[in-house]
Amino acid sequence: MAAQTLQQPSFLLANLKADTTTKPLLQRCQDLVKIIDEYPAKELHLIFPWLVESVFGSLDGIIAGWNLRFLHSRSNEYNIVMDFLHPSGPMMKLVYKLQAEEYKYEIPVNYLPGPVKACIQEGVLPDCPLFHNKLQFPLSGLLTLNIALNPFEYFMYSFAYCLITPKNYPQGHHGSSTDSAYFVLVDTYLKYFLPSEGNVPLSPFSDSRGSVTAPSPRASTVSFAGYGVHSPSLLKHHIFHQPSVNAEPSAQEIWRSETLLQMFVEVWLHHYSLEMYQKLQSPQEPFSPTEEHVLVVRLLVKHLHAFSNSLKPEQLSSSPSAHSHTHTSPLEEFKRVVVQRFVQQKLYLFLQHCFGHWPLDASFRAVLETWLSYIQPWRYTGEKPNPQPDQNRTVPDKWETFVQENLLMYTKLFQVFLNRAVRTDLVNAKNALMVFRVAKVFAQPNLAEMVQKGEQLFLEPEHVLHHRQPRGYLTPSQGGSYLSSRQRVVTDMVFKVKSHVYALEGQDCQYKQMFGTEIRGAVMKLIQIIAQARQTAKRISDQSGEVAANNSFLSWFGFGSPDLNNTFHGAEPEESGECLKKTHEFLDRALENLCQIFKLNQGQLNQLISNLGSSEDDGNSKQLPDCIQGENGLVLTDLGRRQIINGLRRFDIQYQGDPDLQPIRSYENALLVRLLYRISSLVNERFAGHMNTLCSRPDFLGRLGRHYLTDPGVSTQLRPSPRTRLRTESSREPRLSLRVLASYRTILLLLLFYVFGAFLSLGPFSSTMLLLAGGFLYGLFMMLFGDKLKTH
């Protein structure tokens, strides 16, 4: 290896590229470990961009890299990758080695988040200080703008961007897995650089000049006081003004924590601008997160709560003026403001977009749980779980400030969820579970009261803010008064709540109270839909029980319905059996929780349900959904769509094609179905003319032929639509159908008949003739008396 150091860097890069096609991953990683240890930073600098791209893939998705999102612990390469990319592993050693030399690496502006890219292209400074003073103007003749990042920033940006790069799933792999190498690495990086206990570990690697230093100081930003403006980037006093290597280790190393978090937040969350929602503009960014993306965001939210909640009680209760003293370490100061200052705004817009654009299916559960994780920081305090059930745990009063400073996260997103819930099929157990989860969270004792108090603070008259007094007020022991002190605290909270709402919704927002008349009416509507879904679930459950009884062992002997059209009742797998019982349970508990949240008594609930029963009784389920007459027939109204979604009414849909071409049922032999279809097709093709002539006769033989060669249910079918009328007419032609002989029930009955014949000393021929005679007599009887039996 010492001889290889004499090679030109271009030869080293060429050799590494050649090894990717000839050597296994283990050997390549071993070679890279030696190269990182032995080569100087000047030569490693040239291979670093290629190495990052070969690991995480290219930003455009053409190069897949190591496919971290699809690499699972069952793979032989999993441990190799995890060791190489560990925060204290070889790859990070390379990053620190290059960081010490202050190399820069460029990323095209086109691959930045949409709002950041738009700001740069418009000549406006992005709100995130991470991208300040990083713009690289193109050379003459080039139109692409780039930003220059240091090695740690470049590595973390590429790692974060790997999640949102559109990639094709390798064969046999699926996304949305929480045991993938990528998901585990995210968790590892968060725990390493944002530790809940202790400080960020110092870099285990150092060069001859000493420890790795932080990036160059950024320019100080001006602090604004007013609505809609967040505080400047934190830690500038501790980090960016302390380039000394001999500074406090935690202060010297905390820049990695802030950089990692800002990279994750910008790449994963910052895809939707405030202006898009405040000005009701159509979204310019076509970005749509995947379920896997949302699961990683939830991991970030949960860890940040745990990180923030690990703040020492004495630091948590200290006055803001103490932040600049040496008593508070940079990491503790970071914990104090990390959620509000770094995550809140971008997560709010991210969740709002997901709530409005996610499909109305069970995959929304990932988005829902991300939201519920954020609004319940008390679940991630590190304390031992209370033996009481979750719903009986009172939310401690200390979280009142968090609720008020995140008011829109509770109220606005709850309103958006209501709009989704009333359009969702709540008969499905997974959808019913989501409604129950939201109701259960908001029904926690003391939470609704905190939200109400936050709304009251926001609705305080504006003149309250104009009487804010300077912070240096006198304490009661110094001649002040308790009343003025309390009033000042209330005024501060009013200011914080208003700042939060106006920052996210704009100065001219029309705030709708969660406990106001309009939202209360929407909740009443949801309660009615829940009651409708309960009735539907009960009806489907009863029908399923009847079908199960009819298809029991006794039905094999002819007591069940042979109609193939009646074997499918439109129920999904999630809407049958135990799932329907779960649906009923979830909806019952959701009703209880909603009544608890909005203070509805049992009388009001019974009145709502009774009104529902009088207007939408069980008999209506057999009527058509609400429709209007259009040019091409009936057109569903909004009411009709809701009736179908909640199973209140439905169209009587029947199969109108060739019965012999229906899907093979579980009670049929697939081989016999295909064989008998070929035989009947040959007979029908050969004798089609004779069968038409026979069935067109008005005499006794014609009636008998029509009984055996035509479908008796055709005349009772509903009026077909114009598009299916021609196909229905062709299916009415006389034909021979032998598919009934492929049923296991028919086979068993025939076997029992021949066994019974053998017991009576009848041979196969005699039994067959007896069977044909019986079939003929049955047909004759049905031809003569079938119409009379139907009328009765």
Side-chain angles (χ1 to χ4, degrees):
M1 186 61 68
Q4 294 181 7
T5 59
L6 300 177
Q7 293 181 353
Q8 296 296 324
S10 58
F11 293 155
L12 173 62
L13 181 58
N15 289 339
L16 289 174
K17 289 182 178 179
D19 289 345
T20 58
T21 58
T22 59
K23 293 183 179 180
L25 181 62
L26 176 60
Q27 188 174 353
R28 280 184 280 146
C29 288
Q30 291 173 346
D31 292 343
L32 285 170
V33 171
K34 295 179 182 178
I35 290 172
I36 292 170
D37 285 338
E38 299 180 11
Y39 276 70
K42 183 179 179 180
E43 298 182 14
L44 295 175
H45 160 63
L46 295 176
I47 71 168
F48 182 64
W50 168 84
L51 180 58
V52 170
E53 188 175 82
S54 66
V55 173
F56 301 129
S58 58
L59 297 178
D60 56 13
I62 297 177
I63 299 176
W66 289 359
N67 278 322
L68 299 179
R69 290 158 53 187
F70 316 114
L71 185 64
H72 300 277
S73 56
R74 300 178 297 275
S75 172
N76 296 329
E77 299 177 342
Y78 178 84
N79 291 329
I80 302 172
V81 170
M82 298 302 293
D83 291 340
F84 187 78
L85 297 177
H86 191 270
S88 57
M91 189 69 177
M92 199 58 69
K93 178 178 181 178
L94 172 61
V95 171
Y96 293 139
K97 206 169 184 179
L98 297 173
Q99 185 78 32
E101 300 293 337
E102 299 186 357
Y103 286 112
K104 300 292 182 181
Y105 301 92
E106 294 184 350
I107 287 181
V109 170
N110 289 336
Y111 292 108
L112 294 179
V116 177
K117 178 174 65 175
C119 287
I120 293 177
Q121 291 174 343
E122 295 172 4
V124 179
L125 198 64
D127 61 347
C128 178
L130 192 65
F131 301 110
H132 294 180
N133 305 322
K134 300 289 181 68
L135 190 63
Q136 298 291 309
F137 292 97
L139 300 175
S140 59
L142 298 178
L143 299 178
T144 305
L145 290 173
N146 299 313
I147 60 168
L149 304 177
N150 65 47
F152 187 82
E153 293 170 340
Y154 182 80
F155 175 84
M156 285 302 170
Y157 190 90
S158 300
F159 174 73
Y161 203 88
C162 174
L163 176 65
I164 65 174
T165 304
K167 295 180 181 178
N168 296 324
Y169 291 134
Q171 188 173 3
H173 290 73
H174 302 281
S176 304
S177 175
T178 56
D179 67 342
S180 66
Y182 187 86
F183 194 91
V184 176
L185 277 173
V186 170
D187 187 47
T188 303
Y189 287 162
L190 288 173
K191 291 177 179 177
Y192 187 90
F193 293 107
L194 301 171
S196 297
E197 297 181 1
N199 292 320
V200 181
L202 293 173
S203 168
F205 314 110
S206 61
D207 57 9
S208 57
R209 303 184 310 165
S211 177
V212 177
T213 58
S216 301
R218 302 187 186 111
S220 299
T221 55
V222 181
S223 177
F224 298 94
Y227 295 149
V229 181
H230 285 278
S231 302
S233 176
L234 81 159
L235 305 179
K236 55 179 180 290
H237 298 296
H238 286 290
I239 302 170
F240 303 125
H241 294 178
Q242 287 187 357
S244 173
V245 175
N246 298 323
E248 181 186 351
S250 61
Q252 202 274 332
E253 291 290 327
I254 194 68
W255 66 268
R256 293 177 298 163
S257 304
E258 186 184 10
T259 299
L260 173 134
L261 179 59
Q262 286 183 330
M263 284 297 182
F264 285 180
V265 170
E266 290 297 314
V267 176
W268 294 343
L269 300 179
H270 196 190
H271 296 277
Y272 315 102
S273 61
L274 278 171
E275 292 76 14
M276 184 177 74
Y277 291 97
Q278 292 178 357
K279 299 180 181 179
L280 298 179
Q281 297 175 346
S282 60
Q284 299 294 324
E285 308 87 2
F287 181 81
S288 297
T290 62
E291 185 177 1
E292 177 190 17
H293 181 174
V294 175
L295 289 174
V296 174
V297 171
R298 183 177 184 233
L299 175 66
L300 172 66
V301 168
K302 292 167 64 177
H303 182 82
L304 288 180
H305 275 322
F307 175 68
S308 179
N309 293 338
S310 65
L311 187 65
K312 298 175 182 178
E314 60 270 17
Q315 301 293 348
L316 185 64
S317 60
S318 61
S319 63
S321 61
H323 295 182
S324 59
H325 293 79
T326 56
H327 304 296
T328 305
S329 70
L331 187 62
E332 297 298 318
E333 185 177 350
F334 192 25
K335 292 178 180 180
R336 183 192 306 279
V337 294
V338 62
V339 174
Q340 298 297 110
R341 196 167 294 175
F342 280 85
V343 180
Q344 183 202 67
Q345 182 186 86
K346 295 180 177 66
L347 180 64
Y348 173 74
L349 296 178
F350 178 83
L351 290 176
Q352 193 174 33
H353 177 86
C354 291
F355 273 56
H357 295 80
W358 203 275
L360 293 172
D361 58 22
S363 65
F364 183 71
R365 177 76 185 276
V367 179
L368 185 82
E369 293 298 336
T370 303
W371 171 46
L372 297 181
S373 293
Y374 182 84
I375 64 175
Q376 297 182 94
W378 46 86
R379 292 179 54 193
Y380 310 103
T381 58
E383 301 174 358
K384 293 183 179 180
N386 195 313
Q388 291 182 331
D390 290 343
Q391 194 170 353
N392 295 330
R393 297 180 191 169
T394 301
V395 178
D397 292 334
K398 68 178 182 179
W399 295 107
E400 185 175 46
T401 301
F402 179 89
V403 172
Q404 294 168 358
E405 293 180 353
N406 291 271
L407 185 64
L408 289 175
M409 283 287 193
Y410 293 88
T411 60
K412 181 67 178 292
L413 292 184
F414 180 82
Q415 297 167 26
V416 181
F417 175 77
L418 280 181
N419 293 334
R420 284 186 61 93
V422 297
R423 295 181 288 121
T424 304
D425 177 17
L426 298 184
V427 179
N428 186 298
K430 294 179 180 178
N431 294 332
L433 173 61
M434 288 190 280
V435 174
F436 161 66
R437 287 280 297 125
V438 173
K440 177 183 177 183
V441 168
F442 278 86
Q444 294 177 87
N446 208 26
L447 180 57
E449 289 76 8
M450 290 181 179
V451 175
Q452 275 187 297
K453 185 175 180 180
E455 291 191 320
Q456 292 169 0
L457 290 173
F458 175 74
L459 296 174
E460 284 286 336
E462 289 290 334
H463 66 80
V464 173
L465 296 178
H466 301 316
H467 297 86
R468 303 184 78 219
Q469 305 199 11
R471 292 187 179 274
Y473 56 84
L474 296 177
T475 63
S477 61
Q478 297 170 324
S481 69
Y482 284 104
L483 182 60
S484 60
S485 174
R486 182 180 181 278
Q487 181 64 34
R488 194 170 286 104
V489 171
V490 173
T491 303
D492 285 345
M493 287 310 305
V494 170
F495 182 80
K496 288 182 180 180
V497 174
K498 287 179 178 287
S499 298
H500 157 69
V501 174
Y502 291 146
L504 297 186
E505 292 291 326
Q507 290 275 4
D508 54 349
C509 71
Q510 299 295 323
Y511 182 79
K512 296 180 181 178
Q513 297 183 60
M514 178 175 169
F515 297 93
T517 305
E518 184 176 349
I519 304 305
R520 190 179 181 88
V523 172
M524 297 292 190
K525 180 179 177 181
L526 175 61
I527 289 176
Q528 287 186 321
I529 292 176
I530 290 175
Q532 292 172 351
R534 288 171 64 210
Q535 292 182 1
T536 304
K538 185 178 185 304
R539 186 175 68 249
I540 294 177
S541 179
D542 294 342
Q543 291 176 352
S544 300
E546 294 175 2
V547 171
N550 290 335
N551 291 334
S552 63
F553 180 76
L554 292 178
S555 66
W556 280 48
F557 295 93
F559 298 103
S561 173
D563 187 3
L564 295 178
N565 278 325
N566 290 335
T567 58
F568 178 74
H569 292 267
E572 297 291 334
E574 294 84 359
E575 298 173 3
S576 56
E578 291 296 324
C579 289
L580 285 173
K581 295 181 181 179
K582 291 182 179 179
T583 297
H584 211 278
E585 178 185 354
F586 291 147
L587 296 180
D588 279 344
R589 296 170 68 181
L591 280 177
E592 295 176 6
N593 292 332
L594 287 173
C595 291
Q596 179 181 341
I597 297 168
F598 292 92
K599 303 296 189 291
L600 299 176
N601 56 44
Q602 192 63 35
Q604 292 173 304
L605 180 62
N606 292 337
Q607 184 178 0
L608 281 173
I609 297 178
S610 63
N611 292 339
L612 169 68
S614 61
S615 60
E616 299 278 2
D617 58 9
D618 192 55
N620 283 341
S621 63
K622 298 181 180 180
Q623 300 177 8
L624 289 179
D626 190 65
C627 301
I628 58 175
Q629 189 68 35
E631 295 181 359
N632 297 323
L634 298 177
V635 179
L636 277 174
T637 65
D638 290 339
L639 174 60
R641 291 189 183 93
R642 287 199 298 269
Q643 289 170 339
I644 291 178
I645 288 175
N646 292 285
L648 297 173
R649 300 183 185 181
R650 64 179 181 178
F651 291 103
D652 190 2
I653 301 175
Q654 294 183 358
Y655 182 79
Q656 297 181 352
D658 188 348
D660 289 343
L661 294 179
Q662 292 191 68
I664 298 174
R665 300 318 204 261
S666 60
Y667 54 80
E668 294 177 320
N669 184 283
L671 181 62
L672 281 179
V673 170
R674 297 186 178 98
L675 177 62
L676 293 173
Y677 176 73
R678 291 184 179 182
I679 295 174
S680 60
S681 297
L682 290 174
V683 173
N684 292 331
E685 185 178 354
R686 180 81 176 270
F687 300 102
H690 297 287
M691 288 189 290
N692 282 328
T693 302
L694 175 63
C695 293
S696 61
R697 294 175 57 170
D699 56 5
F700 172 79
L701 290 178
R703 293 175 61 191
L704 191 62
R706 286 191 293 273
H707 173 76
Y708 284 107
L709 300 178
T710 60
D711 185 1
V714 169
S715 59
T716 61
Q717 287 181 351
L718 297 176
R719 183 185 63 179
S721 66
R723 298 180 182 273
T724 59
R725 186 174 293 124
L726 295 178
R727 287 184 298 174
T728 305
E729 292 295 336
S730 63
S731 66
R732 294 179 181 178
E733 297 179 358
R735 69 193 185 286
L736 176 67
S737 178
L738 301 176
R739 180 163 175 169
V740 67
L741 300 177
S743 170
Y744 290 118
R745 183 182 66 179
T746 304
I747 296 173
L748 178 61
L749 291 174
L750 289 175
L751 179 61
L752 292 176
F753 181 80
Y754 280 103
V755 170
F756 184 72
F759 182 75
L760 298 177
S761 301
L762 296 176
F765 179 78
S766 301
S767 298
T768 302
M769 295 304 297
L770 184 62
L771 187 65
L772 293 176
F776 174 79
L777 293 175
Y778 174 77
L780 183 64
F781 176 81
M782 293 301 297
M783 182 189 67
L784 295 175
F785 303 105
D787 293 338
K788 294 182 180 180
L789 292 175
K790 288 180 181 179
T791 58
H792 291 287

